[in-house]
Amino acid sequence: IHLESTRYLLPLSYGGEFTMQGGISSITPTSVRIRAQTSHGSSYVKPVRIAQEVLFLQKDRKKVRAISYSLAEDANTAPDVTVFAEHITGTGIKSMSFSQDPDYILWAVRDDGVLLSLTHLREQQVTAWARHTTVGAFESVSCIPESTGSTPYLVAVRSISGTTKRYIEYLDYTGVAQTDCASYGQDLVTKHAVWNNLGFLEGQTVSVVADGMVHPDVVVTGGAITLLYAVNSVQVGLPYTTTLEFLRPELQLPDGTSQ
């Protein structure tokens, strides 16, 4: 199904994972060695390369495995990076892409439209999953190299005034965006209480940052919002809540672990 390159060429098939080597100079029809490594099987979703590992989706599309060479085993191994979060992939993942800069993050979209992120730093022993939801659903993700880093672009599906709309959106690493599906407006000469060109959020209750201050939520009507007071600049978008869940503390008790 896939052919990836690390220490060796890695053919990833539905039945298992292999290595492919050639002779002294190249691979030819008469100079090639293919050896079986692991037998997990790969799905149709394109794998991603992270440092010296290739992360691929197992054929059930529920487990993400990181295949790389193990000196102790003298072979490739493919540990499950979802082992501590088996619930995170839901019924399956349908799209994956990797953003190297400014952060090492694997982005993935589930069948139900939930966006997942995996912070994967093997040398720091960090493997952490998170879920990201929106009003509507995500269809696919692709990370595009740009001058400021690798920007994740998303296809977002939303119901606007009873009609299904698809938008190309991107994740803002600058920290300027304080809302989801954000839009910006500015007029440094005249203050305005009514701000237009918001038809893409028609009928939605939106959060507003007006002149740098939080404004009470308003509803987009006729492609516009009306604020309680006039301002020079606004940021308008869908509200979201950030939740951080800590692990239970690991306390060493006289009779053993607290867990």
Side-chain angles (χ1 to χ4, degrees), residues 133-149:
T133 58
T134 187
V135 176
F138 296 107
E139 270 193 344
S140 64
V141 58
S142 181
C143 297
I144 307 299
E146 297 181 340
S147 59
T148 56

Side-chain angles (χ1 to χ4, degrees), residues 187-208:
D187 186 341
L188 298 179
V189 178
T190 306
K191 293 180 179 289
H192 300 273
V194 178
W195 293 83
N196 300 299
N197 300 320
L198 295 170
F200 66 97
L201 289 173
E202 183 68 30
Q204 300 293 321
T205 299
V206 294
S207 294
V208 180

Side-chain angles (χ1 to χ4, degrees), residues 15-36:
E17 296 73 54
F18 304 84
T19 57
M20 179 185 293
Q21 295 175 263
I24 297 176
S25 59
S26 63
I27 294 176
T28 69
T30 58
S31 176
V32 60
R33 288 181 296 167
I34 299 178
R35 295 178 178 176

Side-chain angles (χ1 to χ4, degrees), residues 57-245:
L57 197 59
Q58 195 169 309
K59 55 189 175 185
D60 62 0
R61 297 191 299 113
K62 294 181 181 180
K63 292 182 179 179
V64 179
R65 293 187 174 273
I67 187 169
S68 63
Y69 178 75
S70 170
L71 183 61
E73 300 288 340
D74 191 25
N76 285 329
T77 59
D80 180 7
V81 296
T82 56
V83 67
F84 292 120
E86 293 181 344
H87 65 286
I88 198 72
T89 55
T91 60
I93 289 174
K94 60 181 179 180
S95 175
M96 294 196 310
S97 190
F98 174 61
S99 173
Q100 177 173 305
D101 187 35
D103 298 306
Y104 261 49
I105 298 180
L106 170 70
W107 296 96
V109 176
R110 294 193 324 199
D111 289 338
D112 59 0
V114 173
L115 178 67
L116 305 177
S117 62
L118 169 63
T119 303
H120 187 67
L121 292 168
R122 181 69 72 182
E123 65 273 17
Q124 302 294 333
Q125 297 183 334
V126 173
T127 300
W129 288 93
R131 296 186 310 120
H132 312 270
T133 58
T134 187
V135 176
F138 296 107
E139 270 193 344
S140 64
V141 58
S142 181
C143 297
I144 307 299
E146 297 181 340
S147 59
T148 56
S150 184
T151 304
Y153 283 82
L154 301 152
V155 176
V157 182
R158 310 184 190 279
S159 179
I160 305 298
S161 297
T163 303
T164 299
K165 301 286 188 179
R166 284 176 170 82
Y167 301 124
I168 304 297
E169 304 177 8
Y170 68 92
L171 294 176
D172 177 26
Y173 277 120
T174 66
V176 175
Q178 297 173 324
T179 57
D180 189 13
C181 193
S183 181
Y184 305 89
Q186 186 178 58
D187 186 341
L188 298 179
V189 178
T190 306
K191 293 180 179 289
H192 300 273
V194 178
W195 293 83
N196 300 299
N197 300 320
L198 295 170
F200 66 97
L201 289 173
E202 183 68 30
Q204 300 293 321
T205 299
V206 294
S207 294
V208 180
V209 179
D211 282 350
M213 303 295 290
V214 176
H215 183 280
D217 290 353
V218 295
V219 177
V220 179
T221 305
I225 58 171
T226 301
L227 305 182
L228 300 177
Y229 47 86
V231 294
N232 290 114
S233 65
V234 293
Q235 178 188 144
V236 182
L238 300 171
Y240 64 88
T241 301
T242 300
T243 303
L244 179 63
E245 183 176 346

Side-chain angles (χ1 to χ4, degrees), residues 38-49:
T38 55
S39 57
H40 304 294
S42 179
S43 76
Y44 63 85
V45 179
K46 180 174 172 48
V48 297
R49 171 82 179 269

